[in-house]
Amino acid sequence: MIEQPSLDMIELFSGALQALKDQRERLNQADATNGNHGDHMVAIFEVAVQAARAEQAALTGQRSGVQGVGISAAMLQASRQLENLENNDSARLYGRGLALLAQRLQERTLELDDLAAYASSLLSAKEDQTETKPPASERELDVVKALLDALSDWERHETNRLKTPAEQQTQSGTDLGYLFGAGMAYLQAKAKGGDRLDILAETAVNASPLGRAAHRAESGRLVLRTLLQSLAGGSR
């Protein structure tokens, strides 16, 4: 039996890019202020794909037999390049989120296959069941902690940007307040309805800075749903 190749970062970012291209006009229309949010999101993930390809090319030049670029390296490269996109506030927002997530994944030495295995576990229940399953292993628990810490860091970072230095929160990672807020976001997403992908994407958006603007929430749900679907499919 031939082993199927695992998902890589180029493929993961490319899937999100295609979904955004398909919905570009709808996302532009959802942006009541500038009418160009769809264009900005496509530009963001074009950069992410290019960054992953650049990391892959660099690794291939260093050693033979490279199977795929590491998730943290691709995210950090994309984060740096997104800072250079002019007149695109969403690019800087996603860049900060990617950098914080990369840091948390590095701390726990997590790779794309770890995220894919957990996504597959979350989405493997029957379609009429929407309760999330608890982590089944220490590795899955590491994934949950890394994701929650990164989302919490991202939310705190964006909140601090609006405060004076004396008002800013200095801790990092997940605290009880954030956990409570994330739990409420999950309950609200579940009450809104939809399949498991919808609920998970809605929860993550509402527990992150993406939920602060309607047009970013809409594109965020599309991106997260697509990424989760790709991750779950890539683990098979």
Side-chain angles (χ1 to χ4, degrees):
M1 181 177 179
I2 300 175
E3 184 179 353
Q4 294 297 316
S6 60
L7 182 71
D8 64 31
M9 290 302 297
I10 299 172
E11 183 182 353
L12 187 67
F13 284 151
S14 294
L17 173 60
Q18 186 58 55
L20 288 164
K21 285 181 175 180
D22 292 343
Q23 298 298 321
R24 183 201 296 249
E25 291 308 315
R26 180 174 66 83
L27 294 174
N28 281 339
Q29 293 170 10
D31 181 359
T33 302
N34 299 308
N36 59 7
H37 183 60
D39 297 334
H40 282 183
M41 290 302 299
V42 168
I44 287 168
F45 277 86
E46 284 177 340
V47 166
V49 171
Q50 291 166 6
R53 285 178 176 158
E55 283 295 306
Q56 179 69 35
L59 281 176
T60 303
Q62 293 171 12
R63 62 184 189 272
S64 61
V66 174
Q67 295 181 346
V69 63
I71 183 171
S72 296
M75 287 182 173
L76 287 172
Q77 179 70 275
S79 174
R80 288 189 289 267
Q81 294 188 22
L82 287 174
E83 291 292 330
N84 297 323
L85 276 183
E86 296 182 357
N87 302 315
N88 191 333
D89 289 338
S90 293
R92 282 176 281 283
L93 180 64
Y94 271 84
R96 289 188 290 269
L98 286 172
L100 291 167
L101 179 55
Q103 177 185 342
R104 292 300 183 177
L105 294 173
Q106 281 181 330
E107 288 173 354
R108 299 181 183 277
T109 62
L110 294 167
E111 282 295 343
L112 192 58
D113 287 345
D114 297 306
L115 270 64
Y118 186 56
S120 180
S121 176
L122 282 177
L123 301 176
S124 63
K126 296 179 180 178
E127 287 295 323
D128 60 350
Q129 296 176 344
T130 56
E131 293 292 341
T132 57
K133 295 163 58 177
S137 67
E138 288 188 12
R139 201 64 174 162
E140 288 188 354
L141 185 58
D142 280 341
V143 170
V144 173
K145 289 178 178 178
L147 294 176
L148 284 174
D149 282 348
L151 284 172
S152 181
D153 288 342
W154 194 19
E155 178 67 20
R156 188 179 299 109
H157 185 283
E158 297 307 312
T159 299
N160 281 343
R161 292 177 65 247
L162 305 176
K163 293 183 176 181
T164 66
E167 295 173 327
Q168 292 179 0
Q169 305 174 56
T170 58
Q171 76 271 24
S172 65
T174 310
D175 57 27
L176 289 177
Y178 182 80
L179 282 175
F180 178 79
M184 291 299 298
Y186 171 73
L187 292 175
Q188 291 168 359
K190 186 180 175 185
K192 184 176 178 179
D195 62 17
R196 186 180 295 262
L197 276 170
D198 288 329
I199 292 171
L200 293 173
E202 181 82 15
T203 299
V205 163
N206 290 338
S208 78
L210 297 176
R212 299 181 183 185
H215 58 285
R216 285 179 179 153
E218 186 167 350
S219 63
R221 287 189 291 269
L222 173 62
V223 167
L224 288 168
R225 182 184 172 91
T226 303
L227 293 177
L228 283 168
Q229 198 163 31
S230 297
L231 282 167
S235 69
R236 297 191 187 104

